[in-house]
Amino acid sequence: MGYVKFLEAFKIAAKSLVYNKTRTFLSVLGVIIGICSIIVSVGLVQSVSISVSKQLEESGLDSLILILQRDVDINEMFRYLNDSQNLLVGITPKKTYYTEVLSSDGKKYKCEVLLLKPSSYVLENLKLVKGRFLSSLDEEKLNNVAVVFENQVDKLFNSKDNVLFKKLFIGGEEFEVIGTVAKQKRMTDFSIGTSYYDINIIIPYKVGESLFNLEKSSKTFFIKSINSKYNSRIKALLEKYLQSKGLNKEDYGIMDGRELVQSVTTISYLLSGLLGGVAAVSLIVSGIGIMNIILVSVTERTKEIGIRKAVGAKSSDIRLQFLIESLLISSFGCFIGILLGLSIVYGILPTVLNTEAHISPMWIIISMGICYLIGLFASWTPAERASRLDPIVALRYE
């Protein structure tokens, strides 16, 4: 019996919505926009944050970055960290200098110059493609030599072949290309290939300091641990060592690869909740639209309600009919909004952001729940009002 009543109420509600197509469409449109906004907002944040987290993880969770404003003995620091517990693979310094580069083929670009030590080849996971990498002899003799990235050779020279021993003029200084390398993702490799600079070139550390007067600039060290689980212990030892050398916390900064990933994940959750909440406001607005259409429907059908109650319809039957109308609007809007939102997340965002699309199924369920709750609460008052109409008064209504 209950099933028959529900089916009858469903038919009446559906006919009412079809009869008032324009009003129904506008109400459904509000729900579509609200649901789509939540899906796209959360999908955007999660896609970007997961992409960044993956890059950080691939970049080497076993790495730490130490930034110093004062000089320290790198060899002594390495011995201090390794003698007691043997936690490190190595330490390498790095500085950057921004200028312009002119190739012997007449091509000119903005350039990020990377001042690296020979040990960087191993610690930064660089893969040699042609020629050789920097050597300790280059450091000692201050040789003006450079290593370029394989994927940037076409920009610098007319041909990828025979690039070895070609000339580059970096900041007005002449350098000779001795090798090409391919970059592999590591935390120490973040600045390589940024969108702000067209070309990235590696030169010997001491050569760059001498030519570009960088001796007094802040020093950056990249530290690779034997395992990321030792990062926190290395960080504590680093702080102890630096403080024993008279450095204050203002004189240095230490970034841990694992902490960076955790920070990105935390920020992702916060932004997802924030943007999801903001987008949910549009659902509340659509709920007001649903309330409006149900109120208008109750007013227009007052006489019909009176007739139904006069022939035996219960208040619960009337209430159910208008609640079903609201839930139908919510269902149509929710379904179309989810499809549209997922189409944008998986169809457009990867192209625009050049990253893998992702959205947690939990957020789809949450958006559906919010949609149905708002639809239910928005229609409850007008539905209750319709169920309490006096059939005699309703029959006299014109």
Side-chain angles (χ1 to χ4, degrees):
M1 190 67 181
Y3 171 75
V4 174
K5 283 188 176 182
F6 177 84
L7 189 60
E8 188 64 28
F10 184 88
K11 289 179 180 178
I12 295 172
K15 285 180 181 178
S16 173
L17 293 177
V18 171
Y19 181 76
N20 297 287
K21 294 184 181 67
T22 303
R23 220 158 48 200
T24 302
F25 170 74
L26 292 175
S27 296
V28 170
L29 183 63
V31 178
I32 292 172
I33 293 171
I35 291 290
C36 185
S37 299
I38 293 177
I39 299 292
V40 173
S41 300
V42 175
L44 173 64
V45 173
Q46 291 191 345
S47 297
V48 172
S49 62
I50 287 175
S51 175
V52 172
S53 295
K54 280 184 178 178
Q55 287 180 27
L56 286 169
E57 289 170 3
E58 291 170 356
S59 299
L61 296 179
D62 55 357
S63 300
L64 296 94
I65 302 175
L66 170 64
I67 302 172
L68 293 175
Q69 302 297 332
R70 290 168 54 182
D71 288 328
V72 296
D73 187 330
I74 183 173
N75 294 319
E76 181 186 343
M77 182 168 65
F78 181 78
R79 285 194 300 271
Y80 174 83
L81 294 172
N82 248 21
D83 284 352
S84 58
Q85 301 180 44
N86 193 33
L87 302 174
L88 299 186
V89 174
I91 301 176
T92 182
K94 172 182 168 184
K95 287 185 179 180
T96 53
Y97 178 69
Y98 304 102
T99 183
E100 288 186 339
V101 59
L102 176 66
S103 74
S104 56
D105 289 343
K107 297 185 177 183
K108 188 176 182 180
Y109 291 97
K110 290 188 297 181
C111 173
E112 180 187 48
V113 184
L114 306 167
L115 284 61
L116 300 180
K117 291 279 188 179
S119 59
S120 302
Y121 176 71
V122 175
L123 296 182
E124 297 210 25
N125 261 11
L126 293 172
K127 180 183 177 183
L128 188 64
V129 179
K130 291 180 182 177
R132 67 175 179 86
F133 196 67
L134 307 176
S135 69
S136 54
L137 197 62
D138 295 324
E139 287 269 298
E140 291 172 15
K141 293 191 173 183
L142 298 179
N143 293 332
N144 283 21
V145 293
V147 177
V148 297
F149 287 91
E150 178 70 13
N151 64 333
Q152 297 176 353
V153 169
D154 286 340
K155 291 184 178 181
L156 286 168
F157 303 105
N158 294 329
S159 172
K160 292 187 73 170
D161 302 322
N162 304 319
V163 297
L164 299 181
F165 311 117
K166 285 197 172 185
K167 304 299 181 182
L168 291 173
F169 297 89
I170 304 171
E173 300 289 340
E174 183 178 325
F175 284 79
E176 183 179 82
V177 178
I178 60 169
T180 62
V181 294
K183 58 182 181 179
Q184 299 184 53
K185 294 178 181 177
R186 297 208 56 77
M187 187 164 70
T188 55
D189 192 36
F190 281 166
S191 62
I192 295 174
T194 61
S195 58
Y196 300 104
Y197 292 90
D198 303 303
I199 300 295
N200 314 101
I201 299 173
I202 299 170
I203 65 172
Y205 191 85
K206 288 185 178 178
V207 173
E209 277 195 327
S210 174
L211 289 178
F212 304 123
N213 194 28
L214 300 176
E215 290 90 345
K216 295 182 180 179
S217 63
S218 63
K219 294 176 173 60
T220 302
F221 295 88
F222 294 97
I223 303 167
K224 184 179 179 183
S225 64
I226 59 174
N227 192 296
S228 61
K229 67 182 180 181
Y230 297 122
N231 284 12
S232 56
R233 197 182 305 175
I234 293 171
K235 186 175 180 180
L237 286 170
L238 267 175
E239 290 179 338
K240 185 178 178 181
Y241 172 80
L242 295 172
Q243 289 168 11
S244 72
K245 295 299 178 182
L247 275 72
N248 299 317
K249 288 193 174 181
E250 296 79 19
D251 298 323
Y252 66 87
I254 304 172
M255 289 186 288
D256 180 352
R258 292 205 307 179
E259 290 178 357
L260 286 173
V261 173
Q262 290 169 0
S263 298
V264 169
T265 303
T266 302
I267 291 170
S268 166
Y269 285 132
L270 290 174
L271 284 177
S272 295
L274 178 63
L275 290 179
V278 171
V281 172
S282 59
L283 269 181
I284 295 174
V285 174
S286 70
I288 296 171
I290 293 173
M291 181 183 289
N292 177 61
I293 192 175
I294 301 300
L295 278 171
V296 171
S297 181
V298 168
T299 303
E300 288 180 344
R301 294 157 65 191
T302 300
K303 197 163 189 175
E304 175 194 326
I305 293 168
I307 294 171
R308 289 189 63 198
K309 294 191 88 172
V311 295
K314 297 178 181 178
S315 295
S316 59
D317 298 331
I318 305 298
R319 186 189 301 115
L320 179 63
Q321 175 190 329
F322 288 102
L323 289 177
I324 289 174
E325 284 188 26
S326 171
L327 291 177
L328 282 174
I329 293 171
S330 299
S331 296
F332 286 131
C334 185
F335 179 72
I336 298 171
I338 288 173
L339 287 180
L340 181 60
L342 291 177
S343 299
I344 294 172
V345 169
Y346 288 98
I348 298 176
L349 290 187
T351 305
V352 175
L353 300 176
N354 193 27
T355 186
E356 184 181 348
H358 178 84
I359 183 168
S360 171
M362 178 188 72
W363 275 99
I364 298 176
I365 295 170
I366 288 173
S367 61
M368 289 176 65
I370 292 173
C371 177
Y372 282 115
L373 281 174
I374 289 176
L376 183 63
F377 283 117
S379 63
W380 185 264
T381 300
E384 188 66 22
R385 175 184 168 185
S387 69
R388 293 183 178 180
L389 281 175
D390 187 324
I392 298 174
V393 176
L395 285 169
R396 292 176 179 170
Y397 182 82
E398 293 295 338

